Amino acid sequence: MPFDYKKEYKEFYLPKAKPEIVEIPAMNYLAIRGMGNPNEEGGAYKASIELLYALAYTIKMSKKGEHQIEGYFDYVVPPLEGFWWQEGFGGFDYTRKDEFHWISVIRLPDFVQKADFDWAVAEATQKKKRDFSSVEFLTIAEGLCVQMMHVGSFDEESSSVALMDQYLKEHGYENDFSPSRLHHEIYLSDARKVAPEKWKTVLRHPIKKI
């Protein structure tokens, strides 16, 4: 059976629908930075997702080609994730989606090194006839965080964020947002097949002890 990160690391991908404190180690990602409304048809956000998945599957299927990655094992491509912020806001104004900044990411297995990433970019560029130069090999160390499972549409996330904020207040923590520590979402539902009220999204915020 292919290694499934969601099942093997449930503490990171399958939290309960109530806040909890978690320590997140450094992980490597395929990443694209951008700005704008994620719902815009033909927009930068949706284009970024296509590029990420194309590279993710190029790496996954490398086992069938000449580029053999040292330490490779078969795995399920991890879910799409996103880091989000808006300039000048302590939180989010969901009515001003055009002002969203984002980093879209897909986690890479630890055996994937920068050289393997560079190979995948060259391979996908040649085979897909697309420009992958906007994709980065990015290492993110989130550290101490609060997280929970949000069930429902993205526009209703504020209710879950309020629960996390209250939990922090009661347990002696506070949010610790910065340019390198951002609002984080992990998307576990296929929005094309699941009704919005049933979408499952991991919400994660960086925190510090008061």
Side-chain angles (χ1 to χ4, degrees):
M1 292 287 291
F3 187 91
D4 190 333
Y5 285 85
K6 296 190 302 299
K7 294 179 180 178
E8 299 297 333
Y9 294 100
K10 292 181 180 179
E11 67 272 28
F12 301 149
Y13 297 100
L14 297 172
K16 295 180 172 59
K18 60 182 182 180
E20 62 184 20
I21 305 296
V22 64
E23 183 79 26
I24 307 297
M27 301 180 193
N28 295 327
Y29 297 91
L30 298 170
I32 300 182
R33 303 171 190 268
M35 178 181 178
N37 189 335
N39 299 323
E40 179 185 356
E41 287 299 329
Y45 180 74
K46 294 188 176 180
S48 76
I49 294 174
E50 294 176 3
L51 294 176
L52 289 178
Y53 274 109
L55 275 186
Y57 278 97
T58 296
I59 293 170
K60 174 178 168 60
M61 301 310 295
S62 63
K63 61 184 179 180
K64 295 188 176 182
E66 295 181 1
H67 184 85
Q68 297 295 302
I69 300 176
E70 184 177 356
Y72 180 97
F73 54 80
D74 196 17
Y75 63 99
V76 177
V77 171
L80 179 71
E81 309 181 36
F83 293 87
W84 298 83
W85 72 100
Q86 288 174 313
E87 300 292 350
F89 288 94
F92 277 158
D93 183 345
Y94 289 92
T95 67
R96 301 169 69 169
K97 294 183 175 64
D98 289 343
E99 298 178 28
F100 278 157
H101 293 259
W102 39 264
I103 308 173
S104 295
V105 304
I106 293 178
R107 182 180 179 178
L108 288 168
D110 291 341
F111 59 72
V112 178
Q113 304 299 310
K114 179 61 163 57
D116 303 309
F117 164 82
D118 292 339
W119 165 82
V121 169
E123 181 78 359
T125 299
Q126 179 183 4
K127 289 191 173 181
K128 304 289 186 180
K129 309 301 181 185
R130 297 187 64 176
D131 181 6
F132 289 86
S133 61
S134 59
V135 186
E136 305 172 42
F137 180 92
L138 184 63
T139 302
I140 299 175
E142 290 185 87
L144 192 65
C145 295
V146 61
Q147 68 178 15
M148 67 175 288
M149 184 73 75
H150 171 74
V151 180
S153 72
F154 303 135
D155 288 343
E156 296 172 343
E157 286 181 5
S158 57
S159 61
S160 293
V161 169
L163 290 176
M164 293 197 297
D165 288 344
Q166 182 62 33
Y167 180 87
L168 296 181
K169 187 176 181 180
E170 293 172 354
H171 291 80
Y173 293 89
E174 63 183 3
N175 288 307
D176 188 29
F177 293 110
S178 72
S180 62
R181 305 193 77 205
L182 302 166
H183 172 92
H184 185 183
E185 302 180 355
I186 304 175
Y187 309 109
L188 301 179
S189 301
D190 187 336
R192 300 167 299 178
K193 301 177 181 179
V194 180
E197 62 269 20
K198 295 182 179 180
W199 289 349
K200 291 184 177 181
T201 307
V202 179
L203 300 182
R204 185 181 295 160
H205 284 173
I207 62 172
K208 63 182 177 180
K209 192 76 174 176
I210 296 176

